[in-house]
């Protein structure tokens, strides 16, 4: 399990952050460190004790994005998205997966400041609308087994670039997410690479070049690239 960011580090984010901002990062860090393991979420435990998760959603409602710097904006929205996805699962739990709940991503059920929106809006319009950063795909969780492995630490403004780089490397070197058969010279990619071809490169050569930025053992351009089916089953933590 990756190390949990200490509250002492969180306090170094910025002395200018308001108390509610510091509380947000502290609470998200505690939720991720307590209820996330190996990319899976202990929804059963969160369902039984939702008070801290509910308080995070309340803090999200009170945040005005226009007051944030770019680094604060990016870190806040990544964390907010992951928390709201988890919150949405807990509210419908037990469930088989997010696609089994009508409107899971599309219903405009959440508030950030004065803006009411759905999870798709938060991801595609708010986050990717401002940051054309492919690494964000590896930081966001859609509550499904097919998602990149969910980090068990909070993303913080001062370290967001470093953290996104690290999470991209973790995801791309995860054999359950990027499946490489070197004997067959074959790479099986998540359908994320197919759906968001403009973010990773639309050709096989461009996508291999993207992988090689992070792979510990790069692959050559003569590898075959295929996309394996996305697993939309819930990323539930079963002990």
């Amino acid at each position: 399990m990756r190390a949990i960011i200490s509250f002492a580090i969180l306090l170094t984010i910025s002395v200018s952050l308001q108390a509610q901002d510091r509380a947000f990062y502290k609470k998200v860090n505690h939720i991720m460190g307590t209820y996330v393991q190996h990319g899976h979420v202990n929804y059963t435990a969160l369902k039984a004790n939702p008070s801290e998760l509910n308080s995070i959603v309340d803090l999200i409602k009170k945040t005005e994005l226009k007051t944030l710097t770019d680094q604060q904006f990016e870190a806040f929205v990544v964390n907010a998205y992951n928390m709201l996805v988890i919150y949405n699962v807990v509210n419908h739990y037990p469930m088989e997966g997010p696609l089994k709940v009508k409107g899971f991503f599309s219903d405009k059920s959440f508030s950030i400041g004065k803006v009411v929106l759905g999870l798709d809006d938060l991801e595609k319009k708010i986050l990717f609308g401002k940051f054309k950063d492919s690494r964000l795909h590896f930081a966001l969780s859609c509550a499904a087994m097919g998602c990149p492995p969910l980090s068990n630490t909070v993303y913080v403004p001062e370290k967001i670039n470093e953290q996104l780089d690290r999470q991209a490397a973790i995801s791309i070197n995860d054999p359950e997410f990027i499946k490489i058969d070197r004997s067959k010279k074959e790479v099986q990619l998540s359908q994320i690479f197919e759906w968001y071809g403009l973010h990773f490169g639309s050709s096989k050569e461009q996508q291999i070049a993207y992988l090689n930025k992070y792979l510990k053992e790069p692959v050559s351009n003569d590898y075959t690239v295929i996309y394996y089916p996305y697993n939309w089953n819930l990323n539930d933590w079963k002990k």
Side-chain angles (χ1 to χ4, degrees):
M1 183 183 294
R2 294 180 289 281
I4 299 172
I5 297 176
S6 69
F7 184 46
I9 293 176
L10 294 178
L11 288 177
T12 69
I13 293 169
S14 172
V15 294
S16 65
L17 287 180
Q18 297 178 1
Q20 73 177 42
D21 298 313
R22 292 196 296 270
F24 172 77
Y25 288 102
K26 179 183 178 182
K27 289 175 181 290
V28 171
N29 195 52
H30 182 256
I31 289 285
M32 302 305 277
T34 304
Y35 299 102
V36 177
Q37 186 175 48
H38 304 304
H40 298 172
V41 182
N42 191 340
Y43 296 110
T44 300
L46 277 168
K47 182 81 170 183
N49 184 26
S51 59
E52 188 169 35
L53 183 59
N54 292 340
S55 71
I56 290 171
V57 175
D58 287 339
L59 289 172
I60 293 171
K61 291 178 182 178
K62 296 174 183 176
T63 301
E64 292 288 349
L65 293 177
K66 64 183 180 182
T67 67
L68 305 180
T69 67
D70 282 354
Q71 286 178 314
Q72 291 169 352
F73 188 112
E74 190 169 23
F76 176 83
V77 175
V78 168
N79 291 312
Y81 181 87
N82 288 335
M83 289 296 98
L84 291 175
V85 167
I86 291 172
Y87 175 82
N88 213 15
V89 171
V90 169
N91 283 347
H92 292 94
Y93 193 79
M95 56 185 280
E96 296 178 20
L99 294 191
K100 297 294 185 180
V101 176
K102 185 179 179 180
F104 185 93
F105 294 105
S106 59
D107 283 354
K108 299 185 187 304
S109 307
F110 306 107
S111 299
I112 298 182
K114 298 180 179 64
V115 180
V116 178
L117 74 179
L119 292 168
D120 275 341
D121 294 333
L122 184 56
E123 177 192 5
K124 297 177 175 65
K125 295 181 181 179
I126 303 297
L127 189 57
F128 280 106
K130 185 175 178 65
F131 301 100
K132 313 300 182 185
D133 189 340
S134 58
R135 299 173 302 170
L136 290 167
H137 288 289
F138 306 115
L140 301 175
S141 172
C142 63
M145 293 293 291
C147 294
L150 178 62
S151 173
N152 67 343
T153 60
V154 68
Y155 291 89
V156 295
E158 283 191 348
K159 296 179 179 292
I160 185 64
N161 187 60
E162 172 189 333
Q163 288 180 296
L164 290 176
D165 254 348
R166 182 167 65 247
Q167 196 61 26
I170 288 170
S171 300
I172 288 173
N173 286 282
D174 184 335
E176 296 298 317
F177 184 65
I178 303 296
K179 305 173 183 181
I180 301 176
D181 189 327
R182 296 183 184 274
S183 64
K184 293 182 178 179
K185 304 192 81 170
E186 179 182 272
V187 178
Q188 294 187 35
L189 295 180
S190 163
Q191 284 186 289
I192 291 174
F193 284 79
E194 182 179 21
W195 298 331
Y196 297 96
L198 292 178
H199 294 186
F200 300 106
S202 54
S203 70
K204 180 194 80 168
E205 291 76 16
Q206 288 172 330
Q207 294 196 348
I208 286 177
Y210 188 94
L211 296 178
N212 283 340
K213 291 192 297 183
Y214 298 100
L215 279 175
K216 294 176 182 177
E217 296 182 45
V219 297
S220 58
N221 278 338
D222 59 348
Y223 272 56
T224 300
V225 172
I226 61 175
Y227 305 100
Y228 63 85
Y230 207 80
N231 183 350
W232 282 103
N233 290 327
L234 187 67
N235 63 338
D236 208 350
W237 173 2
K238 300 293 187 184
K239 290 186 178 182

